[in-house]
Amino acid sequence: MADSILSLADVTLTLAGNAGPVEILHGITLDVHRGETLGLVGPSGSGKSSLLMLMGGLERATSGRVTALGHDLTAMNEDQLARFRRQHMGVVFQSFHLIPTMTALENVATPLELAGHRDAFDRAAEELRAVGLGPRMDHYPSQMSGGEQQRVALARAAAPRPHVLLADEPTGNLDGANGAAIMDLLFGLRDRHGATLVLVTHAPDLAARCDRVVRLADGRIASDELRRAAE
Amino acid sequence: MTLAVAARIARRELRGGLRGFYVFLACLALGVAAIAAVGSVRQSIEGGLKREGAVLLGGDAEMSLTYRYAEPDERAWMEDVATRVSEIVDFRSMVVVERDGVTERGLTQVKGVDGAYPLYGTVELDPPMPLDTALAGDGAVMERVLADRLGLRPGDRFRLGTADYTLSAVLLREPDGAGDGFGLGPRLILRTAALEGSGLLAPGTLYETKYRLALPVGSDMAALETRADARFADKGMRWRDARNGAPGMTRFVDRMGSFLVLVGLAGLAVGGVGVSAAVRAYLDGKTEVIAILKTLGAEGRTILLAYLMQIGTLAGLGIVLGLALGALAPMVAAPFIQAQLPVPVQVSLHPGPLAEAALYGVLTALLFTLWPLARTEEVRAAALFRDASGQVRAWPRPVYMGVTVALAAALIWIAAWFSGVPQLALWAAFGIVAALGLLALAAVGLRRLARRLARARAVRGRTALRLALGAVGGPGGETVSVVLSLGLGLSILAAIGQIDANLRSAIQQELPERAPSYFVVDIQPDQLDGFLARLTGDPGVSKVETAPMLRGVITRINDRPAKEVAGDHWVIRGDRGVTYAATPPEGTIVNAGAWWPADYDGPPVMSFADEEAGEIGLKLGDAVTVNILGRDITATVTSFREVDFSTAGIGFVVTMNPAALMGAPHTHIATVYAEPEAEAAILRDLAEAYPNITAIRVRDAVDRVAEVLSSLAAAIAYGASATLVTGVIVLIGAAAAGERTRVFESAVLKTVGAVRGQVLAYFALRSAMLGAAAGTVAIVAGGVAGWAVMEFVMMGGYEFEPVSALAIVLGGAAATLLAGLAFAWRPLAARPARVLRARE
Ligand SMILES: Nc1ncnc2c1ncn2[C@@H]1O[C@H](COP(=O)(O)OP(=O)(O)OP(=O)(O)O)[C@@H](O)[C@H]1O
Ligand SMILES: [Mg+2]
């Protein structure tokens, strides 16, 4: 299929474990298409998070090529990668990684500011209201619940309107109502701005809303099925 | 049960080795080592002084007189109590050497001795020979500096006054050298008998006689002193004995020793800050472990005990290392120390100072680790579910605050007790506490300000600045702890820098603008006119001041012993210069009372220096008795006048009406203000015309004082360098302690699109803000402490030394910044996933 926004070609990832090097991903080849919603599923430890990190240029592939929007991520240095993410990519980590010395608002405003938006704070506030955190804007991460932190992390990733949003278990800590709100936000991003979503998830209802589900097992792609998008 | 579990946890944690504890160990070890070393050296010197008391004094006891020899009845009293008596006469003079038509002159401190000298110890000469041989006939010995300056070698002839002498050997060491105190010129020794015909020691000449007594073994010194005082104190006789053979030296070692111990304690305080920061960083990293242990059912007490044991073990190791270093260093440096001192020093292991240092080490370690340790109790299991930072209350439970206060009090009390200068120690402790208070205020203020500024519209868009402000103003104890540790370290370094710089500038001090070139003593009354005639005609001479000069001891005030009235004031301690004048000398300012009429002819009246009169509580109309040449003169105080002792001009505490003193044999002193080019010719002419007079070049005298001061400054510099090394380690430690946080932040910031330059700018700005707050307080605190030490301990003037202060503060801040950036560099280059994965 044409119009691939993210493309991995025979990518392997080897990490140095305690008992010598461990190959975590073995020869992954995968194309993600523009506007697609891709669900990454698989058992714990199968390498989902690692693959997501590679897609975001947050991890260096041991071999193979990672291309995003036509740019070869494997050839870029750290600063080039940072600028690339600033313009094109949002990342939500499995354990959020908010900066503890910043309020929710400041956490969300930071990428907007880095991207040069003059109205960073206003947009950040709007984004936080959208995830239902209007009253929590001036709270520090340590003063928020896990679910609230997760929503801040999502707002931080989504605020700059990235072309690609990579999210590691975005609804993992949320109850039904909040989880649904987050899903609406994610898919709204796709629908309104044409963003491409890559979501790691265990949640069946989230996976069910994806266009395509890739199943990982032991660092390999075990299955790759296209689904009819919901509705 | 709890104990056993705690011990097991501690042992498991210790398996991690010393990684992360190098700063902790270094801080503790260096602090303990510095104190142990200073204490050991001081003990060695004091041991030498005590053991050699009689040798240093030159006898078991010494009775000294100014201006005169002992009367036969006084001498008889001495012969009566002592087994042997040795008489010494001590005065200043000028050695003259004529060679190839060129005349060289050198100021010297002459010691005329009898055959009994020295009662104890031996005089070392080069070439080696008995003193008797060297002093036979017109033989004399002098110190090498003087011989070298004048180009004299053994066998050469030189002149003193109007007589000629032969240099028979160079004086290497006089046993009683340290006891003699401070002389302006190098020492020369000859037989008193050989002085006859030299024209020196004429009536009125300034000289001192000392009678050294060898006492029967077991004599009661205190009782003898009382007897001697009762009999001779009114005659201007002063008593000293071997209980304190070299009081000047003892005072010097004492003051130096206690000052250095305080420098050491300051170093330990700096180290303590490092220790505290290291433990806090370590335990912060353990928050998760602690939370998990709590989830699994461990009590707060068990956990506290476990980490207390672990840190205690490491502290023990640090203290032992410090003691070993502190005990070894003086032994290695022994030859060097010995060379600096006129006292035989035996550097050996002194358990006392080592125990003292160990005690300081234990208390400091406890004091500075208690809070971080106490905070482990506050970690709640919930920390696992949230971001751990900011969860822990800033203040530990009241019981730990109580223990902290008790520990601090114990430390201060022990320091006050052991140092022997309780006031100084208390003030130093007060200074450190005050500095910490000031720093805490600065930190809280900075946090508030940063928090407010971070919200300001003006900083929006300036990401690095906003990030820095947010971090400084945000939760987590980093701002307070960094400002406290960096600030205390910098404050102490700045204070030491101020003291050091002030001492140095005191040494290099330019002479006062209008200082005289020469200070001339022993001008006989019949020489005065000729002396003035030679100078007033000279175009190179701008001013000559002369005054009659006698020396006397103030013995009674209103017919009560002066000591009872004035205590230990310097004015009554030894003999003082006394002068007379019919009319107020030019420039005299009379503050109270009135000067006597020019033709006054009544009973003796006196004008007293105003400031000193105030200090000893003298009022107009009081009767002051001065003993001059054994004779009591009682005068009524009729005026107080301004006397400036700081300009090196002529200044007398006591001036009387001429009739009161003119009958006593006396000489005149003069100050000569001349162009530098004219100085040599003036000296030559005066010395040739009046061989008995002594001209002291003021520049040389100042240099000689400077020599003594520079050894003091050198010792302080050694102490300061130990503190500086500790300080640098603490700063590096502080930078390293923040590494974990910084690594994480840079990974997240890069993920959301920050380039390395922006992250670095953010780190640098944050360091700069913290450094600026700490540095500002440090300059203030260092300045105040430096002023206090100079003013009250060194008894010198203080001037703020901006260069030293700025250099230390900027240097310290730069070192922290560079170390911080160095630690941040590696993580900045790493891919974020590597960092963040470790935190999943
Ligand atoms: N630093 C590392 N060194 C060696 N192996 C690692 C390292 N980090 C992770 N692994 C291993 O890599 C594998 C993949 O990890 P990854 O986090 O990608 O799994 P995951 O699919 O996201 O699992 P989960 O659903 O539990 O989040 C795991 O087996 C893990 O043990
Ligand atoms: Mg994962």
Side-chain angles (χ1 to χ4, degrees), chain A residues 45 47-50 94 168-169 200, chain B residues 840:
Chain A
K48 305 182 296 288
S49 296
S50 304
Q94 195 166 1
D168 204 342
E169 307 257 17
V200 173
Chain B
E840 292 272 287

Side-chain angles (χ1 to χ4, degrees), chain A residues 35-142:
Chain A
E36 191 172 52
T37 303
L38 182 101
L40 267 180
V41 297
S44 179
S46 56
K48 305 182 296 288
S49 296
S50 304
L51 186 59
L52 205 69
M53 296 283 154
L54 279 170
M55 290 176 172
L58 299 169
E59 178 69 277
R60 187 188 297 275
T62 311
S63 70
R65 254 165 74 102
V66 180
T67 319
L69 291 114
H71 297 271
D72 182 359
L73 297 190
T74 37
M76 288 190 197
N77 70 21
E78 284 298 298
D79 285 348
Q80 289 166 326
L81 283 169
R83 279 193 211 97
F84 182 79
R85 282 192 292 267
R86 185 194 285 177
Q87 279 157 9
H88 307 297
M89 258 186 213
V91 182
V92 183
F93 295 100
Q94 195 166 1
S95 44
F96 332 135
H97 294 320
L98 300 177
I99 294 185
T101 53
M102 291 186 194
T103 61
L105 183 67
E106 287 165 349
N107 262 293
V108 178
T110 299
L112 291 166
E113 233 177 17
L114 288 167
H117 294 288
R118 317 230 70 216
D119 55 349
F121 278 79
D122 298 334
R123 282 180 58 173
E126 208 172 294
E127 207 69 27
L128 279 168
R129 266 181 236 115
V131 294
L133 286 177
R136 289 269 184 277
M137 265 186 240
D138 287 330
H139 284 214
Y140 287 99
S142 59

